[in-house]
Amino acid sequence: MSIFTDVLRGQPCPSFAELLSWNPTALTVELLKLAADGDENAKARCRQAIVFLATEVARRAAGTPAKKHDVLPVFFERNVLGIMTSFSQVFTAFASRQSLEEKARSLGAIREMIKIGKSSLCNGLPQIRAILQSAMEEPILCDEAFRAWGSLLNSLGQEDLETLINPTFAIIAQYWGFLTSTVQEETHTTTTRLFTSHPEMIQAQVLSIPSLASVPLMHKIEDELVRIRSQMGPKESFHVFDQRCKDENAIVVTRALIELDNYLKRHEDYLHINAISEKPDMVLSQLTRSILDACVKFSDTSTEIAVLCAQCLGRIGCLDPTRLDANREVNKILVLSNFSREDETVDFVLFFLQEVLVKAFLSARDSRAQNFLGYAIQELLKFSRLDSSMTLRSRDLQVNAHYRRWVTLPDSVREVLAPFLNSKLTLHKSASLPEDSFPIYRRGVSYTNWLRGFVSSLLRKGRGSNAEGLFKICQKVIPRQDIAIASFLLPYAALNVVAGGQDAMRWGNEIHEQVRDVVTSEILLILSHPLPEKSQSARDALIECSQSVFHVLDYFSQWVQEKRKELANMEQIGSRSKGMGTQQESEFDIVSYQKQNVELVLSKIPAEVISQRAIDCKSFSRALYHWEQHIRDQRGLHPGDEKILEPLYKRLQDIYTQIDEPDGIEGISAHLQVLSVDQQVLQHRNAGRWTTVQNYYELLNSERPNNPDIQISLLKALKESGQYDVLLNQVGAFQLSGSISAHVIPFAVEASWATGKWENLKNYLSMSNAEISGDFNIRIGKAFAAFRGGDITEFSRSVEILRLDVARSLTFGNTSALHACHDPMLKLHVITEIEAIIGVDKEKDFSRSDLLTNLDKRLDVLGAFSSDKQYLLGIRRAAIQYGFLPIDESSTWLTGARLARKSESINQAFNSVLRASKLGDHSATIEHSRLLWKVGQHRKAIQSLEGAIAANAFRTYDYVTNGSTTTTITNDQSHQQHQNLLTARAHLLLAKWNDKAGQTQSEMIIQRYKRAVDYYCRWEKGHYHLGKHYNKLLESEQSKHPAKQAQTYINGEMSKLVIENYLRSLAFGAKYIYQTIPKILTLWLELGNQVDKPPDAIYGNDDNFRKHTMMQNRRLFEAVSAQMKKYIDRLPAFVFYTAFSQIVARICHSNQTVYGSLVDIIVKVVTTHPQQALWTLLATVKSSAKDRSSRGASCIVRIQDNTKKAKHEATANDMRTLIMQGQKLSDQLLRVTDMEVAPKVSTVSISRDLNFRHNGAPCRLVIPLESTLTAALPPVSDNVNIKTHKAFPKDALTISAFLDEVLVLSSLQRPRRISIRGSDGRVYNILCKPKDDLRKDQRLMEFNTMINRALKKDVESSKRRLYIKTYAVTPLNEECGLIEWVDNLKTLRDILLKIYKQKNTSINYQILRDLLDQSIADYPHNTHIFREKVLSQFQPVFHEWFVEMFPEPSMWFAARLRYTRSCAVMSLVGHVLGLGDRHGENILFEEGSGGTFHVDFNCLFDKGLNFEKPEVVPFRLTQNMVDAFGAYGYEGPFRKSCELSLAIMRQYEDTLMTILETFLWDPTTDFLGGKKKKSRAALVEGGPGAPDTPEGVLENVRGKNHHVIHIQEDTNASVKENREPTDKLDAN
């Protein structure tokens, strides 16, 4: 007692009994405060008192005296949360009455507690951090808070210290300026000690530690951090920033964003090149995703973070969502039992803790809020029967179900939850909201209040013991907490109340119906309530309420679907067991009752109500989803009655007008019998025919001059067509008054600054009122006006406000994917460019040059969004007219002209060219000529270009190269070769047009091509097109009769010219690499084959001719070989890697010179890219053909010899080791593939059953995936240096280990799936396929990859994300190989069988087979049997799979479009290639995206015609497949995608035919399958059957690609042919 007497000096000392009755937590808090106030002696006495208190508490708890050295750690572990709760009351937002002195005293007390408790305080670490960081925001408390933080760093063990490293550096950088010099020195000392005492820990986190560059005193620490970080490249740095931006700590995120903004200024180039590259790196998508999420998470609580996120997003730019995916991964849980099952309820609680409460707890900056969340976490853990025993590692716990659930939580989550397993937090005051009377939504209520009120009311009405207990706890964290908690709980609470359960059935339907109807009424009220017109805040609140209701309905729909499956399964089980038992019947009744209740609620909400509100919320996918379901229902009620459906289709078309999906409008129009004028205009608008739209509205405006809707539509048409001058004239003619003014002025303001009419801008800005003052274009105009007026401060303020408003417009809903937030991203892109243009240092020329280069790349980042690019160019022109940007305005007009031409906006393109010409830019002649050619005026185009060339119009752009510098040509330098790119372009364009016109002699055309090359000899395009023309002449001669073939063809000179020019083009770029390399190899190898052979007898038997020809062949071949040798040395290895399989396939070439050069290429490629290229070479070594195997082995020896000559011994050792690893691994994989597996065995051990030895790993070969084996090409540029390009990343994904379990598939060949752990720690699956020559599949993947490249380059195809799903195929020898495993696939057959089974649709295969035989017995006369007797048995159901797999409407719509379009692309490609055998197991679908995926390509080149029952349809298009396309069927997206695919194949025909040609002539593969008998189709119908020669195949493919001139007609023919009765079910 003497201790307390001394401590409480001056105060009456309580008795011992009174002391023990006190709350030990409260007593400890008072003792700590007294210690903080006192001197060292007083502090010591207080510490003794706390030890005494802890000892007494331990003694009373245990009943025996406790050991003194144990009592304090145990005491603080158990009471730290209560102690921190007391302290937090001083620092909460509601504790403003607390004085600064009391807060400072509490900080001192916390510091004393840290010194006493040390590492035993780890349970309260989040609360301690939250209080200290909260205190740091008040400058006067910053010193004391930092001292406490320093004590924390000095007291904790290393394990707990690791979590404080990043926050420590972040708060130092954030609050350094608030600290006194004394505390700064103390902080410096503590930080230095941290570095010296824990070097390994610092080293492990050094990459993510915030920078201290802003703190001069820390320069030595910062220098060390910079030194280590300098070893990272941009990719690694951006990955670290990605991780830092995901932190839950606001200060850590703030510092990360500040550093990221500075880093982006220096490395924007890396991101922009990456964004437009052929293989964009995932780090770009991941970083963008993290920034968007950080903005949404912190925008309400931190304006600084919101602005920083907006700045970083602006620097990254408006990424093209068709090239990059940054979709948010949303984890969801479905409580199917409606909380009646305990295990499912506990799973829900743990999910709730992990995904919601822990994140809210960590991000809470208010310690009071943290206390409420802590209490809820504590109670939920108790509810789930998780206690302190979970932290023990007892063997008894291993079988405990609760423990197993606990260990499934991530480590970071368990660290936060662990202190609450035995905490004793209590609530002295209820946090529940008062009972709300329904309806809860009333005019003027905020979204937050409605959500909390609705959820609280639902939680009070919970049904079932589990739900009641859970909901009672959840009620405590609804008031004043993060609304994400209420938003998460809403769907589950609503369903629990609506569905009811056993208790609802007991206490009567009437009461439950009342509750259910109340909820239904609230939902209907929200969805049907008119949007407020006058109050924007009330409008936004109702929209947010509606979106929450949509989430509820989504959950209801998903739950009902699963319940239907559950009922179907219960019925099937009952039918198999001849009836249900009593318990099963009771369960069946409960499930039925719940399902009916939820279905009743869904049925009471009309589709048109949901659809309309979805449009109001701009959730157009949802509107489509519900309206299409309505159409489907009506079609079922009124089969064949199109008149009833027509108004529904018109409504559907109206919805499509709100979406950037013109194909859907076209598809719907095809179902309308008569198109109204408005619908025709709509089609023109969506097709981009804005001039036609303009003409229509001009006519209407003249008839009804005061109609605001017509005026606004006219202005939109003028804006989209780029006619800003006309737009201003129209606005000037309007009578601007009332509501029309608010709609018109934004158009006028944009047109004013886009045309540089500043007086107009000033005038229209003065007319803008408060209603439209927030419009983006008006604010841009105000910023321009401020700068023009010299008010830099106002300009900066306007831009910052604009950026903040855009940042705050980013919400959880509109940032789900890049396409969803495209508009805000574009606005941030624009803001960044305005700042960059205006803020450029005019004294430094290099900064201007860098800016111009950066702006060009930023424009490319936008991808296929031409209208957005035009908008950006308008911004730049405005800046140029101000004099901000030191470039010619004409260049922006020419860029705009090119964009308009490519997007078919011809009038806009002509207007832009005229603007450039008016500004004196002679290069506009080229673009003008292109436009003339585009519109069919070929003669005028040629004349225009010839005139400009003759007039030397491009003289001012002439320059010469002189070493490393570039200078303008003068008269004294006229003898030097002109190196003028513009002139070269003009000559090349003229040569191509003369070539196409076919009215110019070949020699003149060649001279024109050569002139282009002469003017700019380092231009890839010039050399390529010259070589392409020679190749055209070569093919022309090849098709002639031998007697008419030219000598230059016979002796190989034409081949030589093609090869030489293609090689030269490769030296200056890689744009045409896939067109040139295959052709070079084909012609060169063919020359090598023919060089020693006498001319064919068809050319005659004259000896002199034969000798002369052979001599010429030899001379030309030697010249070609010399060129090949030169370029093998000169070109980088990745150029040859792109055709490496073709090169290795010809390794047994008979000509020794060719063979020697092939070996040189192989050695170069493998030496440069050994981790990738060795896979192909090792397969050759393992060949069953002895000559191939021996030559492959010779290459290996040569590679090892070459590396021995290297300067570094380590290089030779590395290569030798890698080859040995590769050979060992190849042997092991062959053993795994060939080993016999017992029948009916589905899983085996790779080591025990397949004799695989794990010493084959780790191996530095890359895992054979498409992503690791595909070389990245350099960006397309006129000045690209391909020699410095890195085709593969330094940190290649290599093999670390093989997992033991192997999945054996049940198909005939018993392929087996192995699992490889990569160097990144992830597991990758590979299929080992025996008894199959996979080189065919490998070559077809190369063909499909080329198709994908072509689709990406095309603007329209890229916008629609057309693609073919490809994967890596890696042969191990001629009989087996590896195939990249694609996860989450489902065959069409499995999908349909499952749905039909659920619908109790039985399938009798024997009857079906008989009916199908009858239908083709007298083809085509009996096909009605198929329609009437087969199809009628199976109603289309495939659409249900998309509803099931993608319950969220936006995901559903995206998946359906992806399915439709990928199906169209593969259908047309398969048709051209003659791909057959497309039954229901060879067509698969991606469960994650809905994309179509084809497998098994053995039936190529119309081999299906040789089947016993020949395949006569172009491609498979069954009723189920069409059904899943949507309401428009095969019209709309499917048809348009077919047209685009066919157009692409025609455009790239030469390239595709070259690739086909290379592998058809490959002697190592047999694509034709040997000689086949005449097909039944050919025998019966006199058809040609399948081609059986390479020439026949090429002719057949080319014929399919060309047999109809008009693409749309060709597509019509293919679709119609396919929709004839041959649309068979395929056992589906």
Side-chain angles (χ1 to χ4, degrees), residues 1466-1468 1470-1471 1475 1513-1517 1534 1538 1614-1615 1618:
M1466 197 59 210
S1467 295
L1468 265 292
H1471 165 52
L1475 178 62
V1513 293
F1515 47 83
R1516 189 68 68 237
L1517 194 62
F1534 181 81
C1538 285
S1614 296
V1615 172
N1618 210 60

Side-chain angles (χ1 to χ4, degrees), residues 123-312:
N123 285 352
L125 204 53
Q127 289 87 341
I128 296 173
R129 283 173 52 183
I131 288 177
L132 296 183
Q133 287 181 205
S134 175
M136 289 173 191
E137 294 180 2
E138 298 190 50
I140 200 169
L141 298 176
C142 213
D143 278 0
E144 197 61 42
F146 259 79
R147 284 195 171 107
W149 192 283
S151 298
L152 194 63
L153 296 176
N154 294 328
S155 303
L156 295 177
Q158 180 161 324
E159 185 177 345
D160 296 314
L161 200 57
E162 286 179 359
T163 62
L164 288 181
I165 297 299
N166 284 350
T168 297
F169 282 80
I171 63 172
I172 290 173
Q174 187 81 355
Y175 299 114
W176 185 259
F178 294 166
L179 303 179
T180 60
S181 57
T182 303
V183 178
Q184 287 181 350
E185 288 292 344
E186 292 174 3
T187 304
H188 175 254
T189 302
T190 302
T191 309
T192 304
R193 188 185 304 118
L194 197 63
F195 257 74
T196 56
S197 304
H198 305 280
E200 297 86 1
M201 183 179 63
I202 296 294
Q203 184 71 27
Q205 299 191 48
V206 68
L207 300 181
S208 60
I209 290 177
S211 171
L212 296 178
S214 60
V215 183
L217 189 60
M218 301 281 189
H219 71 92
K220 289 186 178 180
I221 294 174
E222 177 63 16
D223 290 344
E224 180 63 16
L225 293 175
V226 170
R227 184 189 66 78
I228 299 173
R229 289 178 185 143
S230 63
Q231 303 170 14
M232 287 196 306
K235 178 181 178 180
E236 293 81 6
S237 297
F238 283 128
H239 178 71
V240 171
F241 281 120
D242 165 46
Q243 297 303 312
R244 290 174 63 187
C245 289
K246 293 176 180 176
D247 202 285
E248 300 294 336
N249 189 306
I251 297 176
V252 172
V253 174
T254 301
R255 299 314 305 178
L257 290 168
I258 290 172
E259 294 174 40
L260 175 60
D261 186 46
N262 291 323
Y263 192 83
L264 282 169
K265 291 178 185 176
R266 305 192 303 273
H267 295 91
E268 278 182 286
D269 189 61
Y270 171 83
L271 284 183
H272 297 152
I273 290 176
N274 196 295
I276 62 174
S277 67
E278 191 176 58
K279 288 173 56 181
D281 199 301
M282 287 299 295
V283 71
L284 181 53
S285 300
Q286 293 164 353
L287 179 63
T288 306
R289 177 73 267 155
S290 297
I291 298 172
L292 286 169
D293 288 342
C295 187
V296 173
K297 185 191 301 182
F298 295 105
S299 61
D300 289 339
T301 57
S302 174
T303 299
E304 184 180 13
I305 288 180
V307 171
L308 286 169
C309 286
Q311 284 181 196
C312 292

Side-chain angles (χ1 to χ4, degrees), residues 623-664:
L624 283 175
Y625 176 84
H626 288 283
W627 198 251
E628 284 203 8
Q629 287 296 111
H630 182 54
I631 291 176
R632 195 179 292 277
D633 294 340
Q634 292 300 312
R635 187 186 291 136
L637 294 173
H638 310 282
D641 192 344
E642 292 298 322
K643 289 184 178 180
I644 290 180
L645 296 179
E646 183 147 338
L648 302 182
Y649 279 124
K650 288 180 180 179
R651 172 65 173 163
L652 189 62
Q653 192 177 53
D654 291 338
I655 297 172
Y656 265 108
T657 60
Q658 309 294 326
I659 307 176
D660 186 20
E661 178 45 55
D663 299 344

Side-chain angles (χ1 to χ4, degrees), residues 577-844:
S577 57
K578 297 181 180 179
M580 299 182 186
T582 304
Q583 183 177 352
Q584 287 81 5
E585 285 183 354
S586 175
E587 291 179 2
F588 185 86
D589 291 341
I590 293 171
V591 172
S592 299
Y593 175 76
Q594 292 178 327
K595 180 182 74 71
Q596 290 168 6
N597 283 324
V598 180
E599 285 177 332
L600 183 61
V601 173
L602 292 173
S603 67
K604 286 185 176 181
I605 305 171
E608 55 268 30
V609 171
I610 300 178
S611 180
Q612 182 56 53
R613 182 46 50 89
I615 292 174
D616 295 337
C617 297
K618 297 185 178 180
S619 178
F620 304 114
S621 300
R622 183 179 303 278
L624 283 175
Y625 176 84
H626 288 283
W627 198 251
E628 284 203 8
Q629 287 296 111
H630 182 54
I631 291 176
R632 195 179 292 277
D633 294 340
Q634 292 300 312
R635 187 186 291 136
L637 294 173
H638 310 282
D641 192 344
E642 292 298 322
K643 289 184 178 180
I644 290 180
L645 296 179
E646 183 147 338
L648 302 182
Y649 279 124
K650 288 180 180 179
R651 172 65 173 163
L652 189 62
Q653 192 177 53
D654 291 338
I655 297 172
Y656 265 108
T657 60
Q658 309 294 326
I659 307 176
D660 186 20
E661 178 45 55
D663 299 344
I665 293 176
E666 294 290 336
I668 298 301
S669 298
H671 290 271
L672 300 176
Q673 296 179 358
V674 179
L675 293 180
S676 66
V677 175
D678 289 339
Q679 288 166 340
Q680 293 178 46
V681 171
L682 181 62
Q683 285 188 322
H684 289 307
R685 285 177 54 189
N686 285 280
R689 296 185 287 269
W690 289 105
T691 304
T692 305
V693 177
Q694 174 192 337
N695 293 336
Y696 171 73
Y697 284 117
E698 282 177 345
L699 179 62
L700 285 183
N701 189 51
S702 64
E703 296 173 354
R704 288 175 276 173
N706 296 319
N707 187 306
D709 293 334
I710 294 173
Q711 291 175 345
I712 293 167
S713 297
L714 175 57
L715 295 182
K716 285 181 180 178
L718 291 169
K719 175 186 172 181
E720 290 297 333
S721 60
Q723 300 185 66
Y724 287 114
D725 289 313
V726 181
L727 189 152
L728 286 174
N729 292 335
Q730 286 287 353
V731 173
F734 293 164
Q735 295 181 359
L736 298 181
S737 61
S739 61
I740 182 65
S741 175
H743 294 289
V744 169
I745 287 177
F747 287 101
V749 168
E750 180 182 347
S752 297
W753 55 249
T755 54
K757 296 182 177 179
W758 311 118
E759 288 302 320
N760 284 8
L761 176 64
K762 184 178 178 181
N763 179 41
Y764 288 122
L765 286 176
S766 67
M767 296 170 64
S768 62
N769 53 33
E771 183 181 350
I772 58 171
S773 61
D775 180 84
F776 184 77
N777 284 320
I778 287 180
R779 288 194 170 186
I780 290 290
K782 288 181 178 178
F784 276 138
F787 193 85
R788 183 173 175 80
D791 192 344
I792 307 300
T793 303
E794 177 59 24
F795 167 79
S796 300
R797 191 184 74 85
S798 297
V799 169
E800 282 305 307
I801 292 174
L802 191 55
R803 178 180 279 119
L804 179 59
D805 285 348
V806 176
R808 285 175 172 165
S809 72
L810 293 169
T811 65
F812 186 85
N814 69 11
T815 57
S816 59
L818 282 180
H819 68 83
C821 58
H822 180 80
D823 286 345
M825 291 282 284
L826 177 64
K827 291 174 182 177
L828 295 174
H829 187 125
V830 168
I831 294 169
T832 301
E833 290 209 359
I834 291 175
E835 284 185 320
I837 293 169
I838 292 178
V840 107
D841 186 352
K842 298 178 175 60
E843 300 298 321
K844 297 181 180 179

Side-chain angles (χ1 to χ4, degrees), residues 1354-1625:
D1354 180 71
V1355 173
E1356 294 301 318
S1357 301
S1358 176
K1359 278 199 296 191
R1360 291 166 174 82
R1361 307 189 77 170
L1362 302 188
Y1363 78 106
I1364 300 173
K1365 181 69 176 180
T1366 56
Y1367 48 88
V1369 179
T1370 309
L1372 294 174
N1373 58 23
E1374 293 91 337
E1375 296 179 350
C1376 62
L1378 310 176
I1379 297 177
E1380 179 181 354
W1381 182 270
V1382 182
D1383 288 315
N1384 302 319
L1385 294 174
K1386 207 77 173 175
T1387 67
L1388 177 61
R1389 185 175 189 273
D1390 287 346
I1391 292 170
L1392 297 183
L1393 286 178
K1394 180 182 177 182
I1395 298 174
Y1396 284 130
K1397 184 177 180 181
Q1398 291 171 355
K1399 293 180 176 294
N1400 295 321
T1401 301
S1402 60
I1403 302 175
N1404 189 315
Y1405 290 102
Q1406 184 57 51
I1407 294 176
L1408 279 179
R1409 192 174 293 110
D1410 293 341
L1411 290 172
L1412 290 172
D1413 287 340
Q1414 293 174 34
S1415 66
I1416 64 172
D1418 187 16
Y1419 181 83
H1421 302 98
N1422 286 349
T1423 53
H1424 65 91
I1425 297 174
F1426 176 73
R1427 285 194 300 267
E1428 297 168 2
K1429 296 187 178 181
V1430 176
L1431 293 186
S1432 61
Q1433 297 182 44
F1434 303 95
Q1435 293 302 311
V1437 294
F1438 190 29
H1439 72 276
E1440 294 183 15
W1441 183 76
F1442 287 90
V1443 174
E1444 175 187 341
M1445 293 302 300
F1446 309 98
E1448 202 278 318
S1450 62
M1451 293 175 59
W1452 163 82
F1453 185 58
R1456 195 181 71 177
L1457 275 180
R1458 194 176 183 93
Y1459 152 67
T1460 304
R1461 287 170 171 160
S1462 58
C1463 180
V1465 176
M1466 197 59 210
S1467 295
L1468 265 292
V1469 172
H1471 165 52
V1472 171
L1473 290 178
L1475 178 62
D1477 197 26
R1478 298 297 88 196
H1479 54 74
E1481 290 184 325
N1482 281 344
I1483 303 176
L1484 300 89
F1485 300 95
E1486 300 174 84
E1487 291 184 313
S1489 67
T1492 309
F1493 186 86
H1494 283 245
V1495 297
D1496 191 355
F1497 301 106
N1498 278 323
C1499 185
L1500 273 174
F1501 307 125
D1502 289 325
K1503 280 163 59 175
L1505 292 173
N1506 294 330
F1507 289 173
E1508 180 182 354
K1509 295 174 182 175
E1511 297 186 335
V1512 295
V1513 293
F1515 47 83
R1516 189 68 68 237
L1517 194 62
T1518 70
Q1519 61 168 0
N1520 265 302
M1521 295 175 73
V1522 174
D1523 171 68
F1525 292 159
Y1528 34 57
Y1530 55 77
E1531 300 293 345
F1534 181 81
R1535 179 181 294 280
K1536 185 63 177 179
S1537 300
C1538 285
E1539 292 170 5
L1540 289 171
S1541 301
L1542 197 53
I1544 286 295
M1545 285 190 284
R1546 289 179 179 174
Q1547 182 181 347
Y1548 288 86
E1549 180 181 303
D1550 291 341
T1551 303
L1552 298 175
M1553 295 304 292
T1554 298
I1555 294 174
L1556 276 181
E1557 186 180 61
T1558 58
F1559 62 72
L1560 278 168
W1561 287 105
D1562 185 344
T1564 64
T1565 55
D1566 177 16
F1567 281 88
L1568 303 178
K1571 189 173 181 180
K1572 297 289 184 183
K1573 64 182 180 180
K1574 195 75 168 177
S1575 73
R1576 182 177 181 273
L1579 291 171
V1580 173
E1581 302 177 24
D1588 55 5
T1589 65
E1591 296 90 345
V1593 167
L1594 292 173
E1595 182 181 352
N1596 186 40
V1597 171
R1598 197 184 296 272
K1600 287 182 181 178
N1601 212 31
H1602 258 294
H1603 76 280
V1604 178
I1605 295 176
H1606 199 281
I1607 292 171
Q1608 290 185 345
E1609 292 176 3
D1610 203 1
T1611 304
N1612 283 336
S1614 296
V1615 172
K1616 182 178 179 183
E1617 184 180 355
N1618 210 60
R1619 291 295 296 157
E1620 289 299 321
T1622 50
D1623 176 14
K1624 62 181 181 181
L1625 191 63

Side-chain angles (χ1 to χ4, degrees), residues 1055-1063 1080 1083-1084 1087 1120:
S1055 297
K1056 172 180 172 290
L1057 291 170
V1058 176
I1059 291 171
E1060 286 178 342
N1061 283 283
Y1062 277 178
L1063 285 171
I1080 289 169
L1083 294 177
W1084 172 49
L1087 282 176
V1120 169

